[in-house]
Amino acid sequence: MQLVQNSARSAAHSDMLADVREGLSRPQKELSPKYFYDEAGSLLFEEITRLPEYYLTGSERELLLQCSQWFVTSTGSRTLVEFGAGSAAKTRILLDGMLRAGTGCTYMPIDVSASTLAETAGTLRIRYPELRIMPVNADITRDFRLPKHDGPVLFALLGSTIGNFDEMNATRLLRRIRGQMEPLDSFLLGVDLRKSTRELEAAYNDVQGVTARFNRNILQVLNRELGADFDLMAFSHRAFYDEHLHRIEMHLVSARDQVVTIPEIGRIPLTRGETIRSEISCKYDRAAVQVLFEAAGLELEEWHTDEHQRFALVLGRVRVD
Ligand code: SAH
Ligand code: AVI
């Protein structure tokens, strides 16, 4: 067992090293947002979900409260498989619906963050002793096998996590999910909708600076995992909405000319004002989701938005040609 854990750890280390080496050698330096979510990053994300400016979580929660019972009964799902589950706080609304409907018996949260996943599974096992909780620690951008489970399955990707992928990678992710689906399974997607630049930029530039701390934490992760020597105070947070690409971009701005060393990668020079892009967060409308679904072989069956049209829950099925 120890041997298996050690080899999984070293595979994760070499994946991270390869990702970081590649991302930081691009003309626009870049880091994958999946590295935000160590224990501290996951806690900071939870803090973000409670910020008044970050309307996404509250809007999706409101929609789940309205629609969950319908989703569960109309799909007859016996298993809920959630990609990027995090704390699964909102997911409880779906789990409650499954238990009320008497259909559900299994919840399979998938997350790249082992600490978050363990915490989530532990909490849910206490809260739902009647559910089978089967956590899967995996990177959803790579191929992995799901443990054996009962169908029909409701696959879920909530919180607008799809927005953290560009169109090509979002399509790949939906195809991977589609590849796991049987004809009677369903897919529930949460997407953040296009809206005013003012509202969007406020959500990613909160006055308390929690998002800034979340952003800088990715550098702390690289310091710990790769022995890098990023000086967190030498980077500032910047988030802006690109109205043409319909996405928030989050960057870390170098406050001065500096050289960062990552022992297994080498010396990385950064000029004053140069940025490392740490996240994109794409915003959608129905047509954009339709394009993604078509490319992934999914049929868009239902589109539900909250009363302020801020967020949408989309229900899909496998497309039969
Ligand atoms: N679904 C939750 C959490 C969103 S935060 C919500 O709606 O609030 C994003 C979650 O996805 C984090 O828990 C993070 O660890 C996970 N995540 C990010 N990239 C991932 C990847 N490539 N593979 C698996 N999980 C990932
Ligand atoms: C997880 N993900 C959908 C969040 C988002 O809104 O893109 C992460 C986040 N970044 C800054 N604030 C929240």
Side-chain angles (χ1 to χ4, degrees):
M1 186 63 181
Q2 189 61 43
L3 207 64
V4 174
Q5 275 176 354
N6 284 345
S7 80
R9 247 198 304 274
S10 82
H13 178 88
S14 37
D15 284 354
M16 185 184 216
L17 199 59
D19 276 355
V20 171
R21 179 184 283 119
E22 199 272 319
L24 293 184
S25 64
R26 293 186 186 178
Q28 167 62 72
K29 293 184 171 55
E30 205 166 359
L31 290 170
S32 165
K34 73 182 170 205
Y35 298 122
F36 279 128
Y37 300 95
D38 66 344
E39 214 170 329
S42 299
L43 287 173
L44 283 166
F45 177 72
E46 286 306 306
E47 215 176 315
I48 289 175
T49 66
R50 292 189 291 269
L51 292 168
E53 298 94 333
Y54 195 76
Y55 59 85
L56 286 80
T57 311
S59 304
E60 190 177 41
R61 174 184 297 280
E62 182 193 317
L63 271 166
L64 283 167
L65 285 167
Q66 284 164 18
C67 306
S68 278
Q69 203 61 49
W70 164 250
F71 292 148
V72 165
T73 46
S74 65
T75 61
S77 306
R78 302 191 62 204
T79 297
L80 175 62
V81 175
E82 186 177 10
F83 287 72
S87 71
K90 281 167 286 146
T91 314
R92 291 176 181 210
I93 302 167
L94 282 167
L95 296 174
D96 290 336
M98 284 168 87
L99 288 175
R100 257 197 308 271
T103 51
C105 52
T106 304
Y107 174 51
M108 216 179 271
I110 308 168
D111 208 288
V112 73
S113 166
S115 56
T116 307
L117 194 66
E119 171 83 26
T120 298
T123 311
L124 290 181
R125 282 192 180 113
I126 296 168
R127 171 74 178 76
Y128 297 99
E130 61 278 65
L131 269 184
R132 194 151 57 120
I133 313 282
M134 299 174 74
V136 178
N137 185 205
D139 180 344
I140 58 174
T141 63
R142 297 176 196 263
D143 287 333
F144 64 94
R145 257 176 204 279
L146 285 178
K148 212 167 139 16
H149 53 271
D150 295 328
V153 181
L154 179 58
F155 288 88
L157 179 61
L158 302 178
S160 205
T161 293
I162 189 75
N164 299 138
F165 298 88
D166 61 19
E167 191 173 341
M168 183 181 76
N169 287 307
T171 305
R172 277 194 190 141
L173 175 56
L174 293 193
R175 281 203 187 122
R176 179 167 287 116
I177 295 174
R178 157 72 185 80
Q180 305 263 10
M181 290 172 73
E182 300 289 340
L184 291 182
D185 294 343
S186 313
F187 174 50
L188 183 61
L189 178 69
V191 289
D192 192 19
L193 297 177
R194 294 175 187 170
K195 56 184 66 64
S196 73
T197 298
R198 185 185 49 77
E199 252 182 301
L200 283 166
E201 291 191 343
Y204 292 83
N205 289 287
D206 64 282
V207 291
Q208 294 174 53
V210 183
T211 310
R213 278 192 278 142
F214 174 73
N215 197 3
R216 283 197 199 95
N217 182 62
I218 202 166
L219 301 179
Q220 188 67 57
V221 171
L222 301 195
N223 285 352
R224 192 186 54 244
E225 298 299 323
L226 301 180
D229 63 357
F230 284 100
D231 171 4
L232 270 61
M233 288 304 110
F235 289 88
S236 60
H237 164 77
R238 180 184 295 159
F240 60 89
Y241 186 55
D242 182 325
E243 291 181 19
H244 300 289
L245 293 174
H246 307 288
R247 69 188 198 191
I248 287 281
E249 289 201 6
M250 212 158 76
H251 291 249
L252 288 153
V253 188
S254 176
R256 49 176 155 82
D257 290 345
Q258 54 182 315
V259 178
V260 174
T261 304
I262 305 182
E264 290 167 276
I265 295 178
R267 287 160 60 81
I268 298 146
L270 285 133
T271 54
R272 181 163 179 260
E274 186 178 353
T275 72
I276 302 174
R277 186 166 57 208
S278 50
E279 187 177 67
I280 60 166
S281 196
C282 301
K283 308 301 168 188
Y284 300 89
D285 56 16
R286 186 174 173 144
V289 174
Q290 184 77 53
V291 168
L292 281 181
F293 271 40
E294 267 170 30
L298 291 161
E299 193 80 67
L300 193 163
E301 291 216 318
E302 294 180 24
W303 172 267
H304 303 261
T305 63
D306 64 292
E307 57 167 334
H308 305 290
Q309 314 287 313
R310 290 185 181 129
F311 203 91
L313 280 179
V314 192
L315 193 68
R317 281 194 192 272
V318 171
R319 196 178 62 225
V320 216
D321 296 310

